[in-house]
Amino acid sequence: MIEILNDDELARARDAGALVGGILQALKKRTAVGVNLLDLDRWTKQMIEDAGAESCYVDYAPSFGRGPFGHYVCTAVNDAVLHGMPHDYSLADGDLLTLDLAVTLRGISADAAISFIVGETQAPEDLALIDATERALAAGIAAVRPGARIGDLSRAIGTVLRGSGYTVNLEFGGHGIGSTMHQDPHVANDGRPGRGYILRPGLLLALEPWVMADTDELVTDADGWTLRSATGCRTAHTEHTIAVTAEGAEILTLPRS
């Protein structure tokens, strides 16, 4: 299913996106050495409920997971990169943490992710991973315009990731979003320009470049959800929900001041 949102739905998408961006930044500010991943999940639950929103994750049970996810935010640490299930782990200095969050507010969903380093130890190779995903996301957003094709966005993202020295996994990537969290079209993190669905104003996309330092192979954790690098290397993941407009792209998942 591919949805094209009307003006009222786009207004609600802006509210949902601002909520997601605001919660992620609030979580980042509260994250410190010694904070437990289950605390982050509990704080997320409270902020979602306080806003009158609904979690896209807690009851989510797709074919690639093991039953309902059962938590409110994805917490991927170090070699974990996607679908990180919160568990009893206290963050240590130098941990590379990704927080991935999706909520539905007044019938419209928004999805975003941030990666950052906990504490004072900032390894240059970890900063390079995060920077590559952020630059790739910016390149993908810059390629958005009416009449462009999904492959144009994929190529823009992949060019940055590959140019930074990383291989690109194509199993998981960006996606359409709207009244539900995951919709068509799929947006791979590399691809061929001039291919795929033609962008139209009103289309929402969640673009999400992610990389692993020295591999493109994933393994699934014992929890049935958390995806880790096959070599145990560090990972990073950055995501925004954007709306296609007549002028290009509007980033929805930025927190409001």
Side-chain angles (χ1 to χ4, degrees):
M1 176 176 69
I2 297 176
E3 294 180 345
I4 301 298
L5 275 61
N6 60 34
D7 288 345
D8 175 71
E9 291 167 328
L10 284 170
R12 287 185 274 145
R14 293 184 182 99
D15 291 340
L19 176 62
V20 168
I23 291 175
L24 286 174
Q25 289 305 312
L27 291 173
K28 183 177 180 181
K29 288 178 181 177
R30 296 184 72 172
T31 300
V33 173
V35 167
N36 194 287
L37 299 182
L38 294 176
D39 289 332
L40 292 172
D41 192 55
R42 177 172 54 82
W43 297 336
T44 303
K45 178 179 186 291
Q46 188 63 58
M47 285 187 279
I48 291 173
E49 292 178 349
D50 288 348
E54 299 174 5
S55 169
C56 292
Y57 293 163
V58 68
D59 295 322
Y60 188 50
S63 59
F64 56 78
R66 183 187 299 164
F69 186 70
H71 294 274
Y72 293 82
V73 63
C74 293
T75 56
V77 183
N78 296 333
D79 63 323
V81 65
L82 298 173
H83 314 152
M85 181 174 281
H87 58 283
D88 185 12
Y89 174 77
S90 295
L91 291 162
D93 184 54
D95 277 346
L96 201 167
L97 174 65
T98 296
L99 300 175
D100 190 354
L101 176 66
V103 305
T104 300
L105 180 66
R106 294 192 294 137
I108 302 295
S109 302
D111 190 1
I114 55 174
S115 289
F116 58 94
I117 299 170
V118 179
E120 300 299 322
T121 302
Q122 308 262 318
E125 57 269 26
D126 292 346
L127 294 172
L129 274 171
I130 296 169
D131 178 67
T133 63
E134 291 176 346
R135 288 187 291 108
L137 179 57
I141 292 171
V144 172
R145 67 184 188 283
R149 292 182 179 267
I150 291 295
D152 301 333
L153 280 58
S154 295
R155 173 52 64 91
I157 291 168
T159 297
V160 173
L161 297 180
R162 288 183 285 101
S164 301
Y166 305 111
T167 55
V168 181
N169 178 293
L170 300 180
E171 294 175 77
F172 296 93
H175 50 90
I177 188 169
S179 61
T180 56
M181 174 175 60
H182 281 151
Q183 300 180 0
D184 291 330
H186 174 70
V187 188
N189 283 327
D190 199 10
R192 298 176 65 180
R195 302 290 184 97
Y197 183 79
I198 299 174
L199 306 189
R200 297 166 53 190
L203 175 69
L204 298 193
L205 295 171
L207 304 181
E208 49 181 314
W210 59 274
V211 290
M212 301 176 283
D214 62 17
T215 185
D216 60 4
E217 185 179 351
L218 292 165
V219 294
T220 304
D221 215 353
D223 61 22
W225 276 97
T226 303
L227 296 177
R228 298 183 182 274
S229 61
T231 61
C233 68
R234 296 252 175 149
T235 69
H237 172 201
T238 305
E239 177 180 13
H240 272 309
T241 294
I242 62 100
V244 180
T245 72
E247 291 75 32
E250 178 183 354
I251 302 173
L252 303 182
T253 42
L254 295 171
R256 289 176 179 152
S257 57

